[in-house]
Amino acid sequence: MPELPEVETIKNDLLPLLVGHHFTGVTLHWPRAVLTPSPEEFRQQLKGQGIAGLGRRGKYLIFHLSSGKSLILHLRMSGSLILKPTSTEPVRYSRSIFTLDNGNELHFVNPRKLGVMWLVADEQEVVRKLGPEPLDPSFTPELLGELLHRRKAPIKALLCDQKFIAGIGNMYADEALFASQIHPLERGGDLSKEEITRLHCSIGDVLRSAITSAGASTSNYRRPDGTPGEAQLSFKVAHHGGKPCPACGTPIQRIPIRNRGSYFCPNCQRKK
DNA sequence: CCCGGAACCTGAAGGC
DNA sequence: TGCCTTCAGGTTCCGG
């Protein structure tokens, strides 16, 4: 599932290949993925647009266009972006194709049709509601403590809430909680100062390490050249149900939290 | 404001 | 072999 490290990897991979080029056309095989404006306006406004830069906010990938507008993509659960030379060979589950001036085409591969796109004058229209960027220097342990104050939801649910903090999803929430030895059902507001400090540190470590490994390919995620990332090889609990905990050997447990599978070590991560 | 659950989607995996 | 059910989990919406 594309979370912050996966979107960051896609941005880094595409940056040198796209910036300075322009879109020559757009084909929409699943127009409902365009949330704004209308699919037809989307196509017309993108045609001929130069790509001035690429950015990321949380799990959102942002194309800065020469018109000053922003093309924003969210891959949701199963989406990926593939960049390849134009050919007649079909790309499986390609739902949108952006053709470029250099003979390449960018495919929005979107098997479950959950991924979405926007074309807006101000990117804040889309990303305004997001919480802080966990890798930004302004995200301090003190800020995390303030955000957690009096929150009653399970810490796992808060970490996955994009309004609470941007970019973290199921996998990296589980990994960060294991690294900081906190039970996923612990109420956010019940974390001690020491636990908050550990959690803040673990969030940064887990995300930075995953970016270095080019993201985690647990299912559909691929880099734009089609190769998988390797962050999943370092996972200690995520998707490891029943396997021994790498720290103590206790079988990793899986419980549902907010309808999501949560993996943790019942010995290393005790609830108070 | 805060929390939990359903809905959107469809391929993959498992049971019988 | 094939049908059926369940699972996957990011986001938004809705109800309490």
Side-chain angles (χ1 to χ4, degrees), chain A residues 89-134:
Chain A
E89 276 185 39
V91 174
R92 199 153 146 86
Y93 308 128
S94 173
R95 312 286 190 201
S96 311
I97 307 169
F98 302 80
T99 53
L100 293 149
D101 59 353
N102 60 355
N104 281 342
E105 51 192 24
L106 183 67
H107 290 257
F108 189 175
V109 177
N110 196 7
R112 290 184 211 173
K113 300 177 176 176
L114 293 172
V116 285
M117 305 186 278
W118 301 258
L119 180 59
V120 290
D122 178 2
E123 65 184 56
Q124 288 304 316
E125 295 174 42
V126 177
V127 299
R128 184 164 29 215
K129 286 179 281 187
L130 294 177
E133 279 292 316

Short mmCIF file of all heavy atoms in Angstrom, two decimals, chain A residues 89-134:
data_model
loop_
_atom_site.label_atom_id
_atom_site.label_comp_id
_atom_site.label_asym_id
_atom_site.label_seq_id
_atom_site.Cartn_x
_atom_site.Cartn_y
_atom_site.Cartn_z
N GLU A 89 1.99 -2.37 -26.37
CA GLU A 89 1.78 -3.35 -25.31
C GLU A 89 0.93 -2.74 -24.20
O GLU A 89 1.27 -1.69 -23.66
CB GLU A 89 3.12 -3.81 -24.73
CG GLU A 89 3.78 -4.92 -25.52
CD GLU A 89 5.04 -5.42 -24.84
OE1 GLU A 89 5.03 -5.52 -23.60
OE2 GLU A 89 6.02 -5.70 -25.55
N PRO A 90 -0.17 -3.39 -23.84
CA PRO A 90 -1.01 -2.83 -22.79
C PRO A 90 -0.36 -2.97 -21.42
O PRO A 90 0.41 -3.89 -21.18
CB PRO A 90 -2.28 -3.68 -22.88
CG PRO A 90 -1.84 -4.98 -23.47
CD PRO A 90 -0.68 -4.67 -24.36
N VAL A 91 -0.68 -2.01 -20.54
CA VAL A 91 -0.24 -2.08 -19.15
C VAL A 91 -1.43 -2.53 -18.33
O VAL A 91 -2.50 -1.92 -18.38
CB VAL A 91 0.27 -0.70 -18.66
CG1 VAL A 91 0.58 -0.74 -17.19
CG2 VAL A 91 1.49 -0.27 -19.46
N ARG A 92 -1.27 -3.64 -17.61
CA ARG A 92 -2.37 -4.20 -16.84
C ARG A 92 -2.92 -3.19 -15.84
O ARG A 92 -2.16 -2.58 -15.09
CB ARG A 92 -1.88 -5.46 -16.12
CG ARG A 92 -2.97 -6.40 -15.66
CD ARG A 92 -2.40 -7.83 -15.60
NE ARG A 92 -2.95 -8.63 -14.52
CZ ARG A 92 -4.10 -9.33 -14.65
NH1 ARG A 92 -4.77 -9.28 -15.77
NH2 ARG A 92 -4.52 -10.07 -13.64
N TYR A 93 -4.24 -3.03 -15.83
CA TYR A 93 -4.95 -2.15 -14.90
C TYR A 93 -4.63 -0.67 -15.08
O TYR A 93 -4.88 0.12 -14.18
CB TYR A 93 -4.69 -2.55 -13.44
CG TYR A 93 -4.95 -4.00 -13.15
CD1 TYR A 93 -3.99 -4.80 -12.54
CD2 TYR A 93 -6.16 -4.58 -13.53
CE1 TYR A 93 -4.23 -6.14 -12.29
CE2 TYR A 93 -6.41 -5.91 -13.28
CZ TYR A 93 -5.44 -6.69 -12.67
OH TYR A 93 -5.68 -8.01 -12.42
N SER A 94 -4.06 -0.32 -16.23
CA SER A 94 -3.83 1.11 -16.50
C SER A 94 -5.18 1.79 -16.72
O SER A 94 -5.94 1.42 -17.60
CB SER A 94 -2.95 1.27 -17.74
OG SER A 94 -2.87 2.64 -18.10
N ARG A 95 -5.51 2.79 -15.89
CA ARG A 95 -6.81 3.46 -15.98
C ARG A 95 -6.69 4.87 -16.56
O ARG A 95 -7.70 5.45 -16.95
CB ARG A 95 -7.46 3.56 -14.59
CG ARG A 95 -7.46 2.27 -13.77
CD ARG A 95 -8.45 1.25 -14.27
NE ARG A 95 -8.58 0.15 -13.34
CZ ARG A 95 -9.04 -1.05 -13.66
NH1 ARG A 95 -9.43 -1.30 -14.90
NH2 ARG A 95 -9.13 -2.00 -12.76
N SER A 96 -5.50 5.46 -16.53
CA SER A 96 -5.28 6.77 -17.13
C SER A 96 -3.88 6.76 -17.74
O SER A 96 -2.96 6.20 -17.15
CB SER A 96 -5.35 7.90 -16.10
OG SER A 96 -6.51 7.78 -15.31
N ILE A 97 -3.75 7.40 -18.91
CA ILE A 97 -2.44 7.48 -19.57
C ILE A 97 -2.13 8.93 -19.88
O ILE A 97 -2.92 9.61 -20.55
CB ILE A 97 -2.43 6.65 -20.87
CG1 ILE A 97 -2.90 5.21 -20.58
CG2 ILE A 97 -1.03 6.65 -21.47
CD1 ILE A 97 -3.16 4.41 -21.85
N PHE A 98 -0.99 9.38 -19.37
CA PHE A 98 -0.52 10.74 -19.65
C PHE A 98 0.64 10.61 -20.63
O PHE A 98 1.70 10.08 -20.28
CB PHE A 98 -0.03 11.42 -18.37
CG PHE A 98 -1.06 11.52 -17.28
CD1 PHE A 98 -1.35 10.43 -16.46
CD2 PHE A 98 -1.75 12.70 -17.07
CE1 PHE A 98 -2.30 10.52 -15.46
CE2 PHE A 98 -2.70 12.81 -16.05
CZ PHE A 98 -2.98 11.71 -15.26
N THR A 99 0.44 11.08 -21.88
CA THR A 99 1.54 10.99 -22.85
C THR A 99 2.41 12.24 -22.75
O THR A 99 1.94 13.34 -22.46
CB THR A 99 0.98 10.87 -24.28
OG1 THR A 99 0.05 11.94 -24.52
CG2 THR A 99 0.26 9.54 -24.45
N LEU A 100 3.71 12.01 -22.98
CA LEU A 100 4.69 13.08 -22.81
C LEU A 100 5.36 13.42 -24.14
O LEU A 100 5.27 12.66 -25.11
CB LEU A 100 5.74 12.64 -21.78
CG LEU A 100 5.15 12.50 -20.38
CD1 LEU A 100 5.86 11.43 -19.58
CD2 LEU A 100 5.21 13.85 -19.66
N ASP A 101 6.05 14.57 -24.14
CA ASP A 101 6.66 15.08 -25.37
C ASP A 101 7.92 14.32 -25.77
O ASP A 101 8.48 14.58 -26.83
CB ASP A 101 6.98 16.56 -25.22
CG ASP A 101 7.92 16.83 -24.06
OD1 ASP A 101 8.21 15.89 -23.31
OD2 ASP A 101 8.35 17.99 -23.90
N ASN A 102 8.38 13.41 -24.93
CA ASN A 102 9.64 12.72 -25.24
C ASN A 102 9.43 11.25 -25.60
O ASN A 102 10.34 10.44 -25.50
CB ASN A 102 10.61 12.83 -24.06
CG ASN A 102 10.05 12.21 -22.80
OD1 ASN A 102 8.89 11.77 -22.77
ND2 ASN A 102 10.84 12.16 -21.75
N GLY A 103 8.19 10.89 -25.98
CA GLY A 103 7.93 9.51 -26.40
C GLY A 103 7.63 8.57 -25.24
O GLY A 103 7.43 7.37 -25.46
N ASN A 104 7.55 9.11 -24.03
CA ASN A 104 7.18 8.29 -22.88
C ASN A 104 5.71 8.48 -22.54
O ASN A 104 5.08 9.45 -22.95
CB ASN A 104 8.01 8.66 -21.65
CG ASN A 104 9.40 8.06 -21.70
OD1 ASN A 104 9.66 7.12 -22.45
ND2 ASN A 104 10.31 8.63 -20.92
N GLU A 105 5.17 7.53 -21.77
CA GLU A 105 3.83 7.71 -21.24
C GLU A 105 3.81 7.28 -19.78
O GLU A 105 4.45 6.31 -19.38
CB GLU A 105 2.79 6.94 -22.06
CG GLU A 105 3.12 5.48 -22.30
CD GLU A 105 2.22 4.83 -23.35
OE1 GLU A 105 1.67 5.55 -24.19
OE2 GLU A 105 2.09 3.60 -23.31
N LEU A 106 3.05 8.03 -19.00
CA LEU A 106 2.90 7.77 -17.58
C LEU A 106 1.55 7.12 -17.35
O LEU A 106 0.51 7.72 -17.63
CB LEU A 106 3.01 9.08 -16.79
CG LEU A 106 2.96 8.98 -15.26
CD1 LEU A 106 4.19 8.27 -14.71
CD2 LEU A 106 2.83 10.37 -14.64
N HIS A 107 1.56 5.88 -16.85
CA HIS A 107 0.31 5.14 -16.61
C HIS A 107 -0.08 5.23 -15.14
O HIS A 107 0.73 4.94 -14.27
CB HIS A 107 0.48 3.66 -16.99
CG HIS A 107 0.60 3.42 -18.46
ND1 HIS A 107 -0.43 2.92 -19.22
CD2 HIS A 107 1.64 3.63 -19.32
CE1 HIS A 107 -0.03 2.82 -20.48
NE2 HIS A 107 1.22 3.23 -20.57
N PHE A 108 -1.34 5.60 -14.90
CA PHE A 108 -1.92 5.52 -13.57
C PHE A 108 -2.52 4.12 -13.47
O PHE A 108 -3.63 3.87 -13.95
CB PHE A 108 -2.97 6.60 -13.39
CG PHE A 108 -3.49 6.76 -11.97
CD1 PHE A 108 -4.37 7.78 -11.67
CD2 PHE A 108 -3.10 5.90 -10.95
CE1 PHE A 108 -4.87 7.95 -10.38
CE2 PHE A 108 -3.57 6.06 -9.66
CZ PHE A 108 -4.47 7.09 -9.38
N VAL A 109 -1.77 3.19 -12.88
CA VAL A 109 -2.22 1.81 -12.71
C VAL A 109 -3.07 1.77 -11.44
O VAL A 109 -2.59 2.12 -10.36
CB VAL A 109 -1.01 0.85 -12.61
CG1 VAL A 109 -1.47 -0.57 -12.36
CG2 VAL A 109 -0.18 0.94 -13.88
N ASN A 110 -4.32 1.36 -11.57
CA ASN A 110 -5.29 1.60 -10.51
C ASN A 110 -6.28 0.42 -10.44
O ASN A 110 -7.47 0.57 -10.75
CB ASN A 110 -6.03 2.91 -10.85
CG ASN A 110 -6.79 3.49 -9.69
OD1 ASN A 110 -6.71 3.02 -8.56
ND2 ASN A 110 -7.55 4.54 -9.97
N PRO A 111 -5.80 -0.78 -10.04
CA PRO A 111 -6.59 -2.01 -10.17
C PRO A 111 -7.98 -1.92 -9.53
O PRO A 111 -8.96 -2.32 -10.13
CB PRO A 111 -5.74 -3.07 -9.46
CG PRO A 111 -4.36 -2.51 -9.44
CD PRO A 111 -4.50 -1.03 -9.43
N ARG A 112 -8.07 -1.39 -8.33
CA ARG A 112 -9.36 -1.36 -7.64
C ARG A 112 -10.12 -0.06 -7.87
O ARG A 112 -11.15 0.16 -7.23
CB ARG A 112 -9.15 -1.58 -6.15
CG ARG A 112 -8.73 -3.00 -5.87
CD ARG A 112 -8.62 -3.26 -4.40
NE ARG A 112 -7.59 -4.25 -4.17
CZ ARG A 112 -7.16 -4.61 -2.98
NH1 ARG A 112 -7.65 -4.04 -1.92
NH2 ARG A 112 -6.23 -5.51 -2.86
N LYS A 113 -9.57 0.80 -8.72
CA LYS A 113 -10.27 2.05 -9.08
C LYS A 113 -10.52 2.93 -7.87
O LYS A 113 -11.48 3.72 -7.86
CB LYS A 113 -11.60 1.74 -9.80
CG LYS A 113 -11.42 0.94 -11.08
CD LYS A 113 -12.75 0.60 -11.69
CE LYS A 113 -12.58 -0.12 -13.03
NZ LYS A 113 -13.84 -0.56 -13.60
N LEU A 114 -9.70 2.80 -6.85
CA LEU A 114 -9.87 3.65 -5.68
C LEU A 114 -9.01 4.90 -5.76
O LEU A 114 -9.28 5.89 -5.07
CB LEU A 114 -9.53 2.86 -4.40
CG LEU A 114 -10.48 1.72 -4.06
CD1 LEU A 114 -9.93 0.89 -2.90
CD2 LEU A 114 -11.85 2.26 -3.70
N GLY A 115 -7.95 4.86 -6.55
CA GLY A 115 -7.08 6.03 -6.70
C GLY A 115 -7.81 7.18 -7.35
O GLY A 115 -8.73 6.98 -8.16
N VAL A 116 -7.44 8.42 -6.97
CA VAL A 116 -8.17 9.60 -7.43
C VAL A 116 -7.21 10.72 -7.84
O VAL A 116 -6.03 10.71 -7.45
CB VAL A 116 -9.14 10.11 -6.34
CG1 VAL A 116 -10.35 9.19 -6.23
CG2 VAL A 116 -8.42 10.22 -5.00
N MET A 117 -7.76 11.69 -8.61
CA MET A 117 -6.95 12.80 -9.12
C MET A 117 -7.72 14.11 -9.02
O MET A 117 -8.95 14.12 -9.08
CB MET A 117 -6.62 12.56 -10.61
CG MET A 117 -5.95 11.24 -10.89
SD MET A 117 -5.43 11.11 -12.62
CE MET A 117 -6.95 10.63 -13.42
N TRP A 118 -6.97 15.19 -8.89
CA TRP A 118 -7.52 16.55 -8.89
C TRP A 118 -6.65 17.44 -9.77
O TRP A 118 -5.43 17.23 -9.86
CB TRP A 118 -7.50 17.18 -7.50
CG TRP A 118 -8.23 16.50 -6.39
CD1 TRP A 118 -9.45 16.84 -5.88
CD2 TRP A 118 -7.77 15.40 -5.59
NE1 TRP A 118 -9.77 16.03 -4.82
CE2 TRP A 118 -8.76 15.13 -4.62
CE3 TRP A 118 -6.61 14.61 -5.58
CZ2 TRP A 118 -8.65 14.12 -3.67
CZ3 TRP A 118 -6.49 13.60 -4.64
CH2 TRP A 118 -7.50 13.36 -3.70
N LEU A 119 -7.26 18.43 -10.38
CA LEU A 119 -6.51 19.50 -11.04
C LEU A 119 -7.04 20.80 -10.46
O LEU A 119 -8.20 21.16 -10.69
CB LEU A 119 -6.71 19.45 -12.56
CG LEU A 119 -5.98 20.53 -13.36
CD1 LEU A 119 -4.47 20.45 -13.14
CD2 LEU A 119 -6.28 20.40 -14.85
N VAL A 120 -6.21 21.47 -9.67
CA VAL A 120 -6.69 22.63 -8.90
C VAL A 120 -5.73 23.81 -9.02
O VAL A 120 -4.54 23.64 -9.30
CB VAL A 120 -6.84 22.27 -7.41
CG1 VAL A 120 -8.01 21.31 -7.21
CG2 VAL A 120 -5.56 21.67 -6.86
N ALA A 121 -6.27 25.00 -8.78
CA ALA A 121 -5.44 26.21 -8.84
C ALA A 121 -4.55 26.30 -7.60
O ALA A 121 -3.43 26.78 -7.67
CB ALA A 121 -6.33 27.44 -8.94
N ASP A 122 -5.08 25.81 -6.48
CA ASP A 122 -4.33 25.88 -5.22
C ASP A 122 -4.35 24.51 -4.56
O ASP A 122 -5.41 24.00 -4.22
CB ASP A 122 -4.98 26.93 -4.29
CG ASP A 122 -4.29 27.03 -2.95
OD1 ASP A 122 -3.27 26.33 -2.75
OD2 ASP A 122 -4.76 27.80 -2.10
N GLU A 123 -3.16 23.92 -4.38
CA GLU A 123 -3.12 22.56 -3.82
C GLU A 123 -3.73 22.48 -2.44
O GLU A 123 -4.16 21.40 -2.00
CB GLU A 123 -1.67 22.05 -3.78
CG GLU A 123 -0.76 22.82 -2.85
CD GLU A 123 0.69 22.33 -2.93
OE1 GLU A 123 1.24 22.32 -4.03
OE2 GLU A 123 1.24 21.96 -1.88
N GLN A 124 -3.81 23.62 -1.75
CA GLN A 124 -4.41 23.61 -0.41
C GLN A 124 -5.87 23.17 -0.43
O GLN A 124 -6.38 22.67 0.56
CB GLN A 124 -4.28 24.99 0.25
CG GLN A 124 -2.86 25.34 0.66
CD GLN A 124 -2.24 24.30 1.59
OE1 GLN A 124 -2.90 23.84 2.53
NE2 GLN A 124 -1.01 23.91 1.32
N GLU A 125 -6.53 23.36 -1.58
CA GLU A 125 -7.91 22.88 -1.69
C GLU A 125 -8.02 21.40 -1.37
O GLU A 125 -9.04 20.91 -0.90
CB GLU A 125 -8.44 23.09 -3.12
CG GLU A 125 -8.58 24.54 -3.55
CD GLU A 125 -8.97 24.64 -5.02
OE1 GLU A 125 -9.83 23.87 -5.47
OE2 GLU A 125 -8.37 25.49 -5.73
N VAL A 126 -6.94 20.67 -1.67
CA VAL A 126 -6.95 19.22 -1.48
C VAL A 126 -6.27 18.80 -0.18
O VAL A 126 -6.77 17.92 0.52
CB VAL A 126 -6.26 18.52 -2.68
CG1 VAL A 126 -6.20 17.01 -2.47
CG2 VAL A 126 -7.00 18.85 -3.97
N VAL A 127 -5.16 19.41 0.15
CA VAL A 127 -4.34 18.90 1.26
C VAL A 127 -4.47 19.72 2.55
O VAL A 127 -3.79 19.44 3.52
CB VAL A 127 -2.84 18.83 0.85
CG1 VAL A 127 -2.67 17.90 -0.33
CG2 VAL A 127 -2.27 20.22 0.57
N ARG A 128 -5.40 20.68 2.55
CA ARG A 128 -5.51 21.57 3.70
C ARG A 128 -5.76 20.84 5.01
O ARG A 128 -5.26 21.22 6.07
CB ARG A 128 -6.64 22.57 3.43
CG ARG A 128 -6.83 23.62 4.50
CD ARG A 128 -7.69 24.77 3.98
NE ARG A 128 -8.63 24.31 2.96
CZ ARG A 128 -9.01 25.03 1.91
NH1 ARG A 128 -8.51 26.23 1.74
NH2 ARG A 128 -9.89 24.56 1.04
N LYS A 129 -6.55 19.77 4.92
CA LYS A 129 -7.00 19.12 6.17
C LYS A 129 -5.94 18.21 6.80
O LYS A 129 -6.16 17.67 7.88
CB LYS A 129 -8.27 18.30 5.89
CG LYS A 129 -9.50 19.16 5.72
CD LYS A 129 -10.73 18.32 5.42
CE LYS A 129 -10.78 17.88 3.97
NZ LYS A 129 -12.03 17.19 3.61
N LEU A 130 -4.82 18.02 6.12
CA LEU A 130 -3.84 17.07 6.62
C LEU A 130 -3.12 17.55 7.87
O LEU A 130 -2.90 18.75 8.05
CB LEU A 130 -2.79 16.78 5.53
CG LEU A 130 -3.30 16.07 4.28
CD1 LEU A 130 -2.17 15.93 3.27
CD2 LEU A 130 -3.86 14.71 4.65
N GLY A 131 -2.74 16.61 8.71
CA GLY A 131 -1.93 16.90 9.89
C GLY A 131 -0.49 17.16 9.50
O GLY A 131 -0.16 17.23 8.32
N PRO A 132 0.39 17.31 10.50
CA PRO A 132 1.79 17.65 10.22
C PRO A 132 2.54 16.57 9.45
O PRO A 132 2.18 15.38 9.51
CB PRO A 132 2.39 17.84 11.62
CG PRO A 132 1.46 17.14 12.55
CD PRO A 132 0.11 17.22 11.93
N GLU A 133 3.56 16.99 8.72
CA GLU A 133 4.46 16.07 8.02
C GLU A 133 5.42 15.46 9.04
O GLU A 133 6.18 16.18 9.68
CB GLU A 133 5.28 16.83 6.96
CG GLU A 133 4.57 17.09 5.67
CD GLU A 133 4.31 15.81 4.88
OE1 GLU A 133 5.21 14.96 4.79
OE2 GLU A 133 3.18 15.67 4.37
N PRO A 134 5.41 14.14 9.18
CA PRO A 134 6.22 13.52 10.24
C PRO A 134 7.73 13.68 10.05
O PRO A 134 8.47 13.57 11.02
CB PRO A 134 5.81 12.04 10.18
CG PRO A 134 5.17 11.85 8.85
CD PRO A 134 4.57 13.17 8.46
#
